[in-house]
C-alpha cells in the first residue's frame, strides 16, 4: 500500500508545506473521527482534473460502526459520486446537503469538509465525513456533546486552525476521546464532562460535580505540587486564549492524570476549550517499578565490576611477590582475563538495558594486549568492521575469547624485536557474527589442532565458543603466511 506522501506526490502538485499539513492532519484526525462517530476519508483532486478525486488516507471511528468494511485508500471517484467533494472544494465551505447514500447494504450520511492550511489559503484537500446510519437513534447527552465539539473542530479544519502545530517531543495523540473529555465554555467553566473524565478527577480528589465549575482553579488546587498545579492552570488558560499548550501530567493523592488542552475557535471565534484526560496511574506505577529495577540492575553490574577489579588488583599484587616466572605469567594472564570481564560489567552499569556497544570494549582490550607486547616487539592492532550492540549473554564470553586470541597473536606471532600487525575483522550478516583475528607472523606448527591443544587459553576459547555461544572456532594457517582464527557466532 502506498503511503500518504507517495499518493500525494503521484497525484497532486501540492507544495511541501501543504503536504506536511495533511500529514499532521492525518496524525490528529482520529480525534475528529471519534467525536463524529464517523469514517473520515481524505480526498485530493487529481492533477489532470478528469480523474476526479483520489482517496489518500482513511480513518475509522473507535466510538461507532464504520461505514466502510473495505479499505478506500487509492480509490478514485468522479462525476455525480464526487458532487459533494466538488461542492466543498470549489465553494470552500462544509457541505452537509443531500440524502443518505448506500454502500452495499449500509446506509450512510455524506458530509464534506474543505481543508486549508491557513484561513486565507486555498483548499488543498477535502475530508469526507461518512456516518453509518444503521444504528441511528436519538443521541444521548454524551453523543450530542461529542457531535457539537466535532462540528467546531470540522470548522477549524476549514479555517486552517486544526490540527495545532506539533510540539517537540510529542509524537502521539493520547489521551483520546474515550479516555475522558471535558468541554469548557469561553469563560473556562465546565460545560460537559464525560463519565471517564469525571472518574479521573475523582481519583485526583474531586468529591462533587464538575459542571459549571472553573476547571483551571480546581485542577490547580488538586495537584500535590503547587508548581505543577500552577502549570496546569496556565495551560488550560492558554487553550482558552487560542493556543495549544503541551500535555501535562497532574499528580494528586497517589493518582496521575495526563491532560491535553485544545482550543475551540470555529471561524476564529472563542468557543471554549476541549480538555482530554487519561488516568495513567497504573502506567506510571509500572514505569517507576521498571526504573527502580533498571537502577538496581545497573548498581549490581557496578558492584560486580568493582569486585572484579579488586580481584584483579589482588592477583596483580600476588604476581609481584611470586618469584617463579611461570607462576607470575599465569597470574598476569588471570589479571587480564578478570579485567576483560570487568569491562563488560562496567559498560552494562552505564546502560539502560542488558546490551552493550561492543566496539569500545574490543578497542580497550586491544590496547591492553598491545601494551603487553610493547616491551618485546612492536605489534600494531587494527579493527576492521563494527560489532554494534550485543546482548550481555553474548558480550561476556565473546570478550573472553577475543582477549585470549589477541593475547596469543601479540605474544606468539612475532619474536623479540620484530614488528607486525594483528587485524581483527568483524562482519554481521544473515543472523551471524563472524570475527577473524589474523597476523603475518611465524604461523602454527604443522600438527597443530585446537581441539588437541593443552594451553589453558585455547581451551577457554574453545569451551566458550562452542558451549556458551553455540558457535564455531577454527585456528588455521593464513594464506600468505601467518595465522588466522575464525569465530562464527549465531545471533538469533
Amino acid at each position: 500500500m502506498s503511503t500518504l506522501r507517495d499518493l500525494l506526490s503521484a497525484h497532486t502538485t501540492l507544495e511541501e508545506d501543504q503536504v506536511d499539513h495533511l500529514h499532521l492532519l492525518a496524525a490528529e484526525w482520529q480525534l475528529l473521527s471519534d467525536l463524529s462517530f464517523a469514517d473520515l476519508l481524505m480526498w485530493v483532486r487529481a492533477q489532470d482534473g478528469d480523474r476526479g478525486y483520489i482517496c489518500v488516507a482513511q480513518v475509522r471511528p473507535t466510538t461507532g460502526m464504520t461505514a466502510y468494511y473495505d479499505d478506500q485508500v487509492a480509490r478514485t471517484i468522479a462525476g455525480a459520486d464526487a458532487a459533494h467533494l466538488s461542492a466543498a472544494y470549489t465553494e470552500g465551505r462544509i457541505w452537509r446537503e443531500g440524502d443518505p447514500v448506500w454502500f452495499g447494504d449500509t446506509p450512510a450520511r455524506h458530509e464534506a469538509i474543505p481543508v486549508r492550511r491557513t484561513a486565507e489559503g486555498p483548499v488543498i484537500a477535502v475530508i469526507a465525513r461518512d456516518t453509518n446510519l444503521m444504528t441511528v437513534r436519538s443521541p444521548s447527552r454524551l453523543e450530542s456533546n461529542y457531535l457539537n465539539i466535532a462540528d467546531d473542530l470540522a470548522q477549524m479544519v476549514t479555517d486552517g486552525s486544526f490540527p495545532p502545530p506539533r510540539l517537540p517531543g510529542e509524537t502521539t495523540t493520547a489521551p483520546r476521546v474515550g479516555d475522558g473529555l471535558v468541554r469548557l465554555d469561553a469563560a473556562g467553566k465546565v460545560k460537559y464532562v464525560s463519565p471517564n473524565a469525571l472518574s479521573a478527577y475523582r481519583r485526583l480528589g474531586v468529591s462533587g460535580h464538575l459542571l459549571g465549575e472553573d476547571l483551571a482553579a480546581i485542577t490547580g488546587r488538586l495537584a500535590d505540587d503547587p508548581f505543577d498545579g500552577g502549570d496546569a492552570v496556565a495551560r488550560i488558560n492558554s487553550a482558552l486564549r487560542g493556543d495549544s499548550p503541551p500535555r501535562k501530567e497532574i499528580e494528586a493523592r497517589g493518582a496521575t492524570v495526563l491532560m491535553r488542552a485544545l482550543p475551540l475557535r470555529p471561524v476564529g471565534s472563542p468557543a471554549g476549550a476541549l480538555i482530554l484526560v487519561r488516568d495513567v496511574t497504573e502506567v506510571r506505577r509500572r514505569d517507576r517499578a521498571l526504573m527502580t529495577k533498571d537502577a538496581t540492575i545497573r548498581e549490581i553490574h557496578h558492584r560486580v565490576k568493582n569486585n572484579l577489579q579488586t580481584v584483579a588488583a589482588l592477583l596483580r599484587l600476588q604476581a609481584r611477590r611470586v618469584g617463579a616466572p611461570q607462576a607470575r605469567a599465569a597470574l598476569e594472564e588471570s589479571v587480564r582475563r578478570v579485567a576483560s570481564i570487568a569491562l563488560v560489567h562496567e559498560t552494562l552499569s552505564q546502560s539502560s538495558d542488558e546490551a552493550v556497544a561492543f566496539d569500545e570494549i574490543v578497542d580497550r582490550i586491544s590496547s591492553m594486549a598491545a601494551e603487553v607486547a610493547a616491551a618485546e616487539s612492536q605489534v600494531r592492532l587494527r579493527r576492521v568492521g563494527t560489532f554494534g550492540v550485543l546482548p550481555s549473554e553474548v558480550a561476556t564470553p565473546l570478550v573472553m575469547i577475543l582477549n585470549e586470541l589477541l593475547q596469543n597473536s601479540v605474544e606468539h606471532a612475532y619474536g623479540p624485536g620484530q614488528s607486525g600487525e594483528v587485524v581483527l575483522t568483524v562482519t554481521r550478516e544473515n543472523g551471524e557474527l563472524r570475527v577473524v583475528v589474523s597476523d603475518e607472523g611465524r604461523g602454527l606448527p604443522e600438527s597443530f589442532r585446537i581441539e588437541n591443544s593443552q594451553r589453558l587459553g585455547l581451551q577457554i576459547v574453545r569451551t566458550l565458543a562452542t558451549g556458551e555461544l553455540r558457535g564455531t572456532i577454527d585456528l588455521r594457517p593464513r594464506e600468505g603466511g601467518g595465522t588466522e582464527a575464525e569465530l562464527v557466532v549465531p545471533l538469533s
Side-chain angles (χ1 to χ4, degrees):
M1 178 61 67
S2 299
T3 65
L4 172 58
R5 188 171 293 273
D6 292 337
L7 290 169
L8 292 174
S9 175
H11 300 290
T12 71
T13 57
L14 295 177
E15 298 176 358
E16 188 65 24
D17 57 348
Q18 295 172 329
V19 171
D20 291 341
H21 182 77
L22 294 182
H23 268 280
L24 184 57
L25 176 57
E28 293 280 5
W29 67 349
Q30 184 70 59
L31 174 63
L32 178 57
S33 176
D34 290 343
L35 289 169
S36 302
F37 306 96
D39 294 76
L40 301 183
L41 279 64
M42 184 183 295
W43 298 89
V44 293
R45 203 170 189 177
Q47 291 184 41
D48 55 18
D50 296 333
R51 293 178 58 194
Y53 295 83
I54 300 168
C55 181
V56 293
Q58 175 184 6
V59 64
R60 294 180 172 90
T62 61
T63 52
M65 293 180 61
T66 181
Y68 301 97
Y69 292 97
D70 295 327
D71 191 51
Q72 301 296 302
V73 175
R75 175 188 169 202
T76 61
I77 59 174
D81 292 337
H84 60 303
L85 303 179
S86 295
Y89 190 94
T90 56
E91 298 174 22
R93 64 175 181 86
I94 297 178
W95 184 92
R96 291 191 173 98
E97 302 85 33
D99 297 325
V101 296
W102 290 81
F103 302 110
D105 296 330
T106 303
R109 180 177 62 248
H110 265 336
E111 294 178 72
I113 305 166
V115 180
R116 291 186 179 91
R117 183 171 172 271
T118 62
E120 297 78 20
V123 175
I124 58 176
V126 177
I127 299 296
R129 183 163 59 168
D130 299 334
T131 307
N132 188 325
L133 298 179
M134 287 286 288
T135 57
V136 171
R137 54 183 173 80
S138 298
S140 65
R141 188 162 176 268
L142 178 145
E143 292 169 336
S144 295
N145 278 277
Y146 278 19
L147 292 171
N148 288 337
I149 298 171
D151 288 342
D152 286 346
L153 290 179
Q155 185 59 53
M156 292 170 65
V157 169
T158 297
D159 300 339
S161 56
F162 184 86
R166 176 164 292 173
L167 299 170
E170 293 191 346
T171 58
T172 68
T173 58
R176 294 193 173 186
V177 170
D179 296 324
L181 177 149
V182 182
R183 168 73 186 265
L184 304 183
D185 63 18
K189 305 296 184 181
V190 176
K191 189 175 179 180
Y192 173 77
V193 55
S194 73
N196 284 345
L198 184 58
S199 296
Y201 268 87
R202 289 261 193 265
R203 296 204 64 177
L204 292 177
V206 170
S207 57
H209 294 288
L210 287 175
L211 286 177
E213 298 292 337
D214 186 329
L215 188 71
I218 290 178
T219 305
R221 290 196 301 267
L222 291 174
D224 289 338
D225 188 332
F227 292 101
D228 283 344
D231 195 14
V233 170
R235 297 187 189 203
I236 293 175
N237 290 332
S238 176
L240 291 170
R241 292 192 301 269
D243 299 325
S244 298
R247 295 163 178 82
K248 176 67 180 176
E249 286 189 3
I250 307 298
E251 294 187 4
R253 300 178 60 181
T256 305
V257 170
L258 176 63
M259 179 184 72
R260 184 189 186 193
L262 290 168
L264 295 175
R265 299 177 70 86
V267 201
S269 302
L274 170 64
I275 311 298
L276 298 172
V277 295
R278 179 184 179 188
D279 185 350
V280 293
T281 304
E282 291 304 312
V283 175
R284 292 299 170 259
R285 184 189 62 79
R286 289 195 294 268
D287 287 346
R288 285 191 288 268
L290 287 173
M291 290 175 63
T292 301
K293 180 181 178 181
D294 289 343
T296 302
I297 292 173
R298 288 197 297 271
E299 178 62 21
I300 290 172
H301 283 302
H302 180 70
R303 294 189 181 190
V304 170
K305 183 263 296 185
N306 288 345
N307 290 338
L308 289 172
Q309 288 180 337
T310 301
V311 171
L314 292 174
L315 291 173
R316 193 176 293 110
L317 287 172
Q318 188 66 41
R320 292 172 182 171
R321 295 173 180 269
V322 172
Q326 188 174 3
R328 184 184 300 111
L331 287 172
E332 289 174 348
E333 284 186 357
S334 297
V335 169
R336 290 192 291 271
R337 289 165 184 154
V338 172
S340 65
I341 299 175
L343 283 177
V344 176
H345 286 281
E346 180 181 6
T347 304
L348 287 170
S349 70
Q350 301 168 357
S351 173
S352 59
D353 53 25
E354 288 293 290
V356 294
F358 201 71
D359 290 339
E360 180 182 352
I361 294 176
V362 171
D363 292 343
R364 290 176 67 178
I365 65 171
S366 297
S367 299
M368 292 164 54
E371 290 173 2
V372 172
E376 299 181 355
S377 59
Q378 297 179 350
V379 180
R380 301 180 304 278
L381 283 89
R382 179 165 59 92
R383 173 170 58 86
V384 177
T386 179
F387 287 86
V389 176
L390 297 177
S392 59
E393 61 267 21
V394 173
T396 301
L398 183 58
V399 74
M400 287 281 291
I401 293 172
L402 295 179
N403 180 61
E404 297 295 335
L405 294 178
L406 292 172
Q407 291 291 341
N408 278 342
S409 293
V410 300
E411 290 181 7
H412 303 296
Y414 304 99
Q418 290 184 323
S419 62
E421 185 178 53
V422 176
V423 180
L424 189 155
T425 305
V426 55
T427 55
R428 293 180 68 156
E429 57 183 11
N430 300 325
E432 289 185 337
L433 178 70
R434 182 174 179 269
V435 184
V436 177
V437 178
S438 61
D439 62 68
E440 299 176 353
R442 63 186 69 175
L444 296 168
E446 292 185 4
S447 59
F448 176 84
R449 295 291 183 274
I450 188 172
E451 56 270 18
N452 299 328
S453 175
Q454 299 302 310
R455 289 181 56 85
L456 176 60
L458 292 179
Q459 289 179 354
I460 291 174
V461 167
R462 185 167 178 269
T463 300
L464 292 176
T466 59
E468 288 198 39
L469 295 180
R470 298 182 181 181
T472 60
I473 181 71
D474 185 22
L475 198 62
R476 57 179 179 258
R478 175 179 171 274
E479 186 177 348
T483 306
E484 69 178 15
E486 181 184 45
L487 172 68
V488 179
V489 178
L491 294 178
S492 58

